[in-house]
Amino acid sequence: MTTTGEDHVPARGGPWWWERRRGAVLDVSLGAVSALECAAEGIPFARDAGIPTAMGVLFGLLAGSVLVVRRKWPIAVVLVALAITPAEMGFLLGVVGLYTLAACELPRRIIGALAGMSFLGTLIVTFVRLRQDMGQDGVDLGEWFFAFAAIGSSLGLTAPPLLLGLYVGQRRRLMESLRERADSLERELQLLAERAEERAEWARGEERTRIAREMHDVVAHRVSLMVVHAAALQAVARKDPEKAVKNAALVGDMGRQALTELREMLGVLRSGGEGARAERAAVPLAAVGVAAAAAASRAAGDGESSEGPSLSELDELIGQSEAAGMVVALSVEGEGRAYAAEVESTAFRVVQEALTNVHKHAAGAKTHVRLAHRASEIAMQVENEPPPVASAAGSARLPSGGNGLVGMKERVAALGGVFVSGPTDAGGFRVSAVIPAS
């Protein structure tokens, strides 16, 4: 990527006011040539003026050397060239001075005034000198010839350097303007790239959160029930072998289902072979999220649903909890109807996660599940009583990562609903959620 802004300003590597050494070398060389020219022209000037030749040469050297400061004081150079025009000195000084004046950053009225003065000065001096020379030779060509020759000579000395300087100055300003626009565009593109990267990072974070939530919903419920059944199996293994065999079969079934769902979630990262690695690297999180959502839709039972779990599976979900030793009472208010797939899935997940938390933190406690179908919303509440002092399942010691309530709240909030959870006055715990029906 190219540099921007002040990085385009050339480094000041030259002495004094020069930005570059080659600029200083050029100006010093032009000043030396101009000084030699004026010194040579100072000899006839001294002879005509009746002054010593050395003074004429010294005057020419001083006047011609002013060209060295043309970049810093272009107006002074033009004024000096105007001053020595009557002495017929400073041809290079005048031409280069006009060019520098026209190319620099000065108001056009100043450039026009000095160029006009240079033109008039050259015109008058040329007209007078031609007339004197022709008069001395005894040639009379008429005033019109002298005027035409003077105008042509003045235009030849002032117009080319002036036009060239204006062109170079305008081109330089245009290039600076284009460079500034390019710098501005590059800064904007860089800012857009940074914002796009931030949005991509935010999207990746959101996708990781969604995947974690889906995997939690898939695994937590089944594994929690497995641990509860395993604890119950340990307690009744010797007392009731028939019940122990039944619990062992349940644990095996749930374990196989959990492994199948995990395999479906993570298998997408290995699918497609070596040739698909580049494609998978671009969207691994999204692919895992889709697989996780698909697997999560089967977390409550053996049946598969492409649209996720629904409220019609609540009875099966509660039956699994009852099989693990929990006493669950289900009450439904209002007339049930079909909701959007995401609404039913979220409502199911809230009840599922709330029952899982009861298994983890209040094993053996009686739980009340209430579902209310209203005109424009669906409400659900899962409330458990205080757990009994002694419980066979309580020895399961289920771990908790603290993500269940957070996941429920995120799901409900994503649909514009309200989620509330907290302990009850009786010592239990209550989870409530209200989700818009549409």
Side-chain angles (χ1 to χ4, degrees):
M1 182 176 293
T2 59
T3 56
T4 59
E6 289 75 13
D7 294 340
H8 281 299
V9 178
R12 295 185 63 88
W16 296 332
W17 58 83
W18 286 285
E19 294 179 351
R20 298 178 182 179
R21 292 186 180 276
R22 64 182 183 182
V25 172
L26 176 61
D27 289 353
V28 171
S29 301
L30 289 175
V33 173
S34 177
L36 292 176
E37 178 205 348
C38 292
E41 294 169 344
I43 296 175
F45 167 71
R47 184 175 59 252
D48 295 340
I51 60 175
T53 303
M55 293 186 60
V57 173
L58 179 61
F59 176 73
L61 288 174
L62 293 176
S65 62
V66 175
L67 194 58
V68 175
V69 298
R70 69 183 185 93
R71 297 178 190 264
K72 190 171 182 62
W73 296 298
I75 297 179
V77 173
V78 175
L79 291 177
V80 171
L82 286 173
I84 63 176
T85 297
E88 296 185 79
M89 299 171 58
F91 170 78
L92 181 62
L93 181 66
V95 171
V96 178
L98 276 178
Y99 164 80
T100 306
L101 179 71
C104 67
E105 299 289 339
L106 285 176
R108 293 296 176 86
R109 61 179 182 275
I110 296 179
I111 297 176
L114 292 175
M117 292 171 60
S118 178
F119 174 77
L120 290 177
T122 307
L123 176 66
I124 295 172
V125 171
T126 303
F127 182 82
V128 172
R129 179 60 64 178
L130 283 175
R131 190 173 181 180
Q132 289 178 353
D133 293 342
M134 292 298 178
Q136 291 177 358
D137 296 337
V139 179
D140 187 9
L141 298 177
E143 298 293 334
W144 62 270
F145 174 80
F146 300 133
F148 178 79
I151 293 174
S153 177
S154 299
L155 286 176
L157 292 175
T158 57
L162 181 66
L163 295 177
L164 180 61
L166 290 175
Y167 167 75
V168 171
Q170 186 64 29
R171 183 176 180 275
R172 183 185 301 149
R173 286 187 287 271
L174 177 61
M175 294 300 295
E176 292 176 355
S177 176
L178 293 177
R179 184 181 296 115
E180 290 177 358
R181 291 183 181 180
D183 293 341
S184 177
L185 179 59
E186 187 174 357
R187 286 192 294 268
E188 291 178 2
L189 291 176
Q190 186 175 1
L191 181 60
L192 289 176
E194 292 175 356
R195 290 180 178 177
E197 186 176 355
E198 292 176 359
R199 287 194 296 268
E201 184 64 29
W202 175 83
R204 287 192 291 268
E206 289 293 316
E207 192 65 23
R208 284 193 292 266
T209 302
R210 188 175 73 87
I211 294 171
R213 185 168 59 243
E214 295 290 349
M215 294 184 68
H216 179 274
D217 291 339
V218 168
V219 178
H221 183 70
R222 291 194 185 280
V223 174
S224 298
L225 291 178
M226 288 173 58
V227 176
V228 171
H229 281 295
L233 176 61
Q234 183 181 5
V236 302
R238 295 181 179 179
K239 298 180 182 180
D240 192 348
E242 183 178 352
K243 186 175 182 180
V245 171
K246 183 179 179 181
N247 286 343
L250 288 174
V251 171
D253 291 340
M254 291 180 181
R256 283 188 292 272
Q257 292 169 4
L259 287 174
T260 300
E261 291 160 358
L262 282 175
R263 191 177 297 112
E264 289 177 356
M265 277 186 260
L266 301 179
V268 69
L269 294 178
R270 299 191 179 97
S271 63
E274 296 293 332
R277 285 187 177 180
E279 182 179 356
R280 292 201 310 271
V283 289
L285 292 179
V288 175
V290 172
S297 67
R298 299 186 295 276
D302 298 333
E304 295 186 358
S305 173
S306 60
E307 296 182 353
S310 62
L311 294 176
S312 61
E313 302 175 18
L314 275 182
D315 292 336
E316 185 178 356
L317 177 65
I318 293 175
Q320 292 176 354
S321 295
E322 290 176 342
M326 181 188 296
V327 179
V328 184
L330 173 63
S331 62
V332 181
E333 301 177 5
E335 183 178 356
R337 62 184 186 275
Y339 298 95
E342 61 270 14
V343 174
E344 293 208 15
S345 175
T346 300
F348 180 90
R349 293 301 184 198
V350 170
V351 177
Q352 182 190 53
E353 182 59 31
L355 292 177
T356 302
N357 287 340
V358 176
H359 283 293
K360 290 181 179 180
H361 307 292
K366 184 177 182 179
T367 305
H368 301 272
V369 178
R370 301 179 180 89
L371 186 66
H373 299 278
R374 300 170 183 170
S376 59
E377 61 188 15
I378 179 173
M380 64 230 60
Q381 184 182 87
V382 180
E383 179 179 350
N384 63 274
E385 298 178 358
V389 178
S391 175
S395 61
R397 299 178 184 178
L398 293 169
S400 175
N403 297 317
L405 295 176
V406 175
M408 284 189 284
K409 185 175 182 180
E410 290 176 350
R411 285 181 177 275
V412 174
L415 297 178
V418 178
F419 178 85
V420 179
S421 62
T424 62
D425 296 336
F429 198 85
R430 181 187 298 118
V431 173
S432 302
V434 178
I435 304 175
S438 58

